[in-house]
Amino acid sequence: MATIAAGNQEMDFTDPCWKTKFQEDFELRFNLPHLKDVLPIKPRPTTFSLKNRNARLVNGANVLEDRKNGYVNEDDRALLKVIRYSSPTSAGAECIDPDCSWVEQWVHRAGPREEIFFEPGEVKAGIVTCGGLCPGLNDVIRQIVFTLELYGVKKIVGIQYGYRGLFDRGLAEIELFREVVQNINLAGGSLLGVSRGGADISEIVDSIQARGIDMIFILGGNGTHAGANAIHNECRRRKMKVSVICVPKTIDNDILLMDKTFGFDTAVEEAQRAINSAYIEARSAYHGIGLVKLMGRSSGFIAMHASLSSGQIDICLIPEVPFQIEGPYGVLRHLEHLIETKGSAVLCVAEGAGQDFVEKTNSTDASGNARLGDIGVYLQQQIKKHFRRIGVPADVKYIDPTYMIRACRANASDAVLCTVLGQNAVHGAFAGFSGITVGICNSHYVYLPIPEVIASPRVVDPDSRMWHRCLTSTGQPDFN
């Protein structure tokens, strides 16, 4: 009997009603938590409006009218998946059942609602940036402040250095308003600072309660989202009227269900500089080999997209695709071939690739992530040893641009994404949602329950068309 785990239940595909049951389970899982689920609150007309440029004469006075069709209806939905695969053998097929049947999966559309659940003049909003640096953090902070002010919020504060700012009494709140954040998007980093890890959830919620915060906007990756979900659940348990909204921040692009996260496009663009430098070094040297290590702890999206966009990479190594270094089908043997035929070679490796080859540190960072061995340095050493052993001269140049990329300001593409994510985060809070994150799915902006995006990291599918395109671009063989 063919079955699949759908949410919290096993799905029996021999049941003629399995599609209906799957969709019911999906709708239940992707239903957005709302403050009215636990509190007897009533909505009021929104204070957010987009006025028409041309005034209309009403009773002898010029009146600016609201634009028509400016609000999102509560029943608006966006499709999570848009490709209808005809067979499980189709490249990159994502199938629910063995026959790859088409099942519609709808998620909530993001945007401003006609009714809101907070009095803007009474709201105190907080913004916190967690984890590591990422291009676009300041863009999101800036847009959250701008949009809150459009609603009429007067009290906006920044929490310094991630969750630490909620329990470290030596870290004061930073008052935020338009004049403070107007130009912060012109620089990289975070106006508020970042840090990893956090305190006891109860202690954090105590702090939120003591500060009188009604909305808290949390920018971070999977670990930060998990913390935000715990904060949301504790606020619900205490029946606090606090909206907890996440904006997914991960330069690795490893958040489930989303087209991309902010900072990713900038990272790929900046990686081109490192790759181009490695290419020039390799081409200019006798038997030159350029090696570039890029971000990607558990997913190789940056390495894959940077390799595709540069067109200069001969070998791309990512965590999702196992490879051998030694042996007749290993990376080193292919490097020999490239040196023999092209005279040079350029490799790109994600930081999480090949961890079986490097020495384990058996330690974790403040976020609980295992500290990775340095695959870049290891490959550099192995390449040098190999070519010395076979008596072939090789000039290896190793480049690690990680911290240069993280500290960049957002490029134009990411700046647009950050702007819309920041706006929609505020719209979601005023709509009364909590325990959600905002993202882009199939080019549409949506709200998703936090548990659905942190079930596991998003990774590159080795059977996907995009990875196949990368292999076509590099011309590399199978190294396993």
Side-chain angles (χ1 to χ4, degrees), residues 1 10 66 117 121 202 204 222 254 267 285 292 429 456 470:
M1 184 179 294
E10 289 289 322
D66 288 353
F117 288 82
S202 181
I204 289 177
N222 279 298
D254 60 354
V292 179
S456 63
C470 185

Side-chain angles (χ1 to χ4, degrees), residues 269-331:
E269 183 175 307
E270 289 298 319
Q272 303 307 297
R273 302 176 190 272
I275 290 173
N276 190 53
S277 296
Y279 174 77
I280 292 171
E281 287 282 356
R283 290 285 293 174
S284 301
Y286 179 67
H287 289 180
I289 298 174
L291 172 60
V292 179
K293 186 181 77 170
L294 297 175
M295 290 82 71
R297 170 175 288 277
S298 58
S299 61
F301 288 104
I302 293 178
M304 177 176 69
H305 282 258
S307 298
L308 266 170
S309 57
S310 74
Q312 297 169 328
I313 296 296
D314 298 297
I315 299 173
C316 178
L317 304 174
I318 61 175
E320 297 88 340
V321 180
F323 59 90
Q324 294 299 320
I325 295 177
E326 305 278 356
Y329 303 108
V331 172

Side-chain angles (χ1 to χ4, degrees), residues 216-237:
I216 186 159
F217 301 95
I218 303 174
L219 286 58
N222 279 298
T224 300
H225 273 61
N229 193 55
I231 292 169
H232 156 73
N233 288 332
E234 179 63 15
C235 288
R236 279 172 74 95
R237 189 187 69 79

Side-chain angles (χ1 to χ4, degrees), residues 363-406:
S363 63
T364 59
D365 61 22
S367 297
N369 300 312
R371 295 189 187 277
L372 300 176
D374 197 329
I375 185 62
V377 171
Y378 179 81
L379 278 175
Q380 178 193 30
Q381 294 169 347
Q382 293 304 307
I383 293 168
K384 288 181 176 180
K385 288 178 183 178
H386 176 76
F387 280 93
R388 277 200 302 267
R389 186 168 60 248
I390 64 174
V392 175
D395 190 348
V396 184
K397 296 295 193 299
Y398 173 52
I399 299 174
D400 180 356
T402 298
Y403 291 103
M404 295 173 64
I405 292 174
R406 283 166 27 120

